[in-house]
Amino acid sequence: INTLEELQALYTATFGKNGTMTARLKEMKNLDNDARAALNLENTQLRELFKTRQTELENAAMMAALAP
């Protein structure tokens, strides 16, 4: 993922209304406690990774704009 647009498209495909993670989270009620905890941890980690990559891309864009 090299642009904010690509990142947003992936985020939507993952966490959007019909996203893959959204579908998995909807099935959480059918999981045992350990599986729920693992899925919740995975969800949290993925969201943090998206935030980190977004910050990296925004910083790179800002540095490129500031470069002579």
Side-chain angles (χ1 to χ4, degrees):
I1 302 295
N2 294 315
T3 66
L4 287 171
E5 292 79 18
E6 290 174 350
L7 184 65
Q8 183 60 42
L10 181 59
Y11 186 87
T12 301
T14 306
F15 294 106
K17 184 177 179 183
N18 296 316
T20 54
M21 182 56 83
T22 303
R24 292 179 63 199
L25 291 171
K26 286 179 183 176
E27 296 301 317
M28 189 181 264
K29 64 183 179 232
N30 300 326
L31 302 175
D32 62 32
N33 286 339
D34 291 338
R36 284 182 190 184
L39 182 57
N40 195 32
L41 178 62
E42 181 181 349
N43 181 42
T44 302
Q45 289 173 336
L46 272 175
R47 288 184 186 271
E48 287 298 319
L49 287 171
F50 273 106
K51 285 180 189 176
T52 300
R53 185 62 180 146
Q54 179 180 4
T55 301
E56 290 171 354
L57 290 171
E58 288 171 347
N59 288 342
M62 187 173 19
M63 294 305 287
L66 293 175

